[in-house]
Structure formats: structure tokens, C-alpha cells
Amino acid sequence: MAVDVYLYFNGNCREAVEFYAQVFETEKPQIMAYGDNPPNPEYPLPEEAKNLVMHSRLNINGSNVMFSDVFPGSPFVAGNNIGLAYVSNNIEDIKKFFNKLTDSGTVKMVLQETFWSKCYGSVIDKFGIEWQLSHESE
């Protein structure tokens, strides 16, 4: 599996992904908004987050480029709005790599099952690079 790039936007992700799809003549992107998540009473979704893009992906000339709006209240710095995604069907590798990246890093989301992945987690490594590790969904 390849390592994919993840680009973060400050509320204009939908516009950006549709623009890039047009520029690179890709298929129409599927866009998942934060509001598409199943509701969780323990973590109510702020109204301003519901229509923001949680995830979208384009295949540009054989490379996956993924897109997301930052969650309201999260820091956004233009130029630093990039992360890397390791997607694999090997859960043991995901766990092993995640644990190694947490050495002197900061866990943003512990490895866990989500509605989109059997095993997903996010960590900022000791060099300030954000990594998302995810089990390849069917």
C-alpha cells in the first residue's frame, strides 16, 4: 500500500476538492461531511461542523490525495495543512507503526474501530508530522 497525502482546509474543502477534480479531470468526488457520522450523545456535533468535509479522496494520476476541513476550534495554518495517511489491510502493522510513531509524539485519536474503519488512529509524531493510520475498508 502507498502512503497517501492528506490536505486540510479551513471550511472551504468542498470547493477545493471539486476544483481539483475539475482541474485533473477525475471522477466526481464522494464527499463525507462530519454531519454524516452516526450521532454520539457523548460527543455532540457542533452545528457549524455538520456541513464541513470530514473526508474526500481523489485519485490524481495514480496517487490518492485526501481532503478534510479542520474541525471547528482546531488550529489551521496555511502552508502547514498537510498530513500523511497509512492505509493497510494489515491491522498488526497498523498497531505496530502507530505505537512507534507515538514515541515522543502526541496521540490525537487512539487506535479504535470507527464506522469507516476496523482500526483507525491519528498521531502527531515527534517531528510535528500528522499521521493517520487506517485499516483498508471493503
Side-chain angles (χ1 to χ4, degrees):
M1 299 257 136
V3 173
D4 298 327
V5 66
Y6 221 111
L7 301 175
Y8 304 103
F9 295 85
N10 197 21
N12 60 344
C13 183
R14 187 177 306 271
E15 177 185 357
V17 75
E18 289 172 352
F19 172 76
Y20 294 130
Q22 180 183 14
V23 167
F24 295 105
E25 300 174 353
T26 69
E27 62 186 43
K28 182 178 165 82
Q30 293 183 342
I31 296 175
M32 182 185 313
Y34 285 105
D36 296 337
N37 280 316
N40 182 341
E42 294 179 31
Y43 302 101
L45 189 64
E47 194 62 38
E48 65 270 21
K50 290 183 179 177
N51 291 322
L52 294 176
V53 175
M54 184 177 94
H55 176 76
S56 188
R57 176 177 58 199
L58 296 176
N59 187 283
I60 300 173
N61 197 29
S63 294
N64 285 323
V65 180
M66 296 185 282
F67 304 83
S68 179
D69 278 310
V70 295
F71 199 77
S74 296
F76 176 85
V77 179
N80 290 344
N81 50 323
I82 188 168
L84 298 172
Y86 178 86
V87 181
S88 172
N89 57 10
N90 186 324
I91 290 179
E92 293 308 311
D93 279 351
I94 291 169
K95 290 177 181 177
K96 176 175 62 175
F97 299 152
F98 183 88
N99 288 330
K100 288 180 179 182
L101 286 166
T102 62
D103 181 28
S104 300
T106 304
V107 175
K108 288 186 66 180
M109 184 172 175
V110 297
L111 284 176
Q112 59 189 276
E113 186 169 345
T114 65
F115 73 92
W116 71 85
S117 174
K118 290 181 184 177
C119 184
Y120 172 86
S122 175
V123 60
I124 298 173
D125 72 18
K126 64 184 175 181
F127 301 105
I129 304 298
E130 181 173 351
W131 290 87
Q132 295 183 53
L133 291 90
S134 185
H135 183 265
E136 178 74 33
S137 61
E138 303 300 319

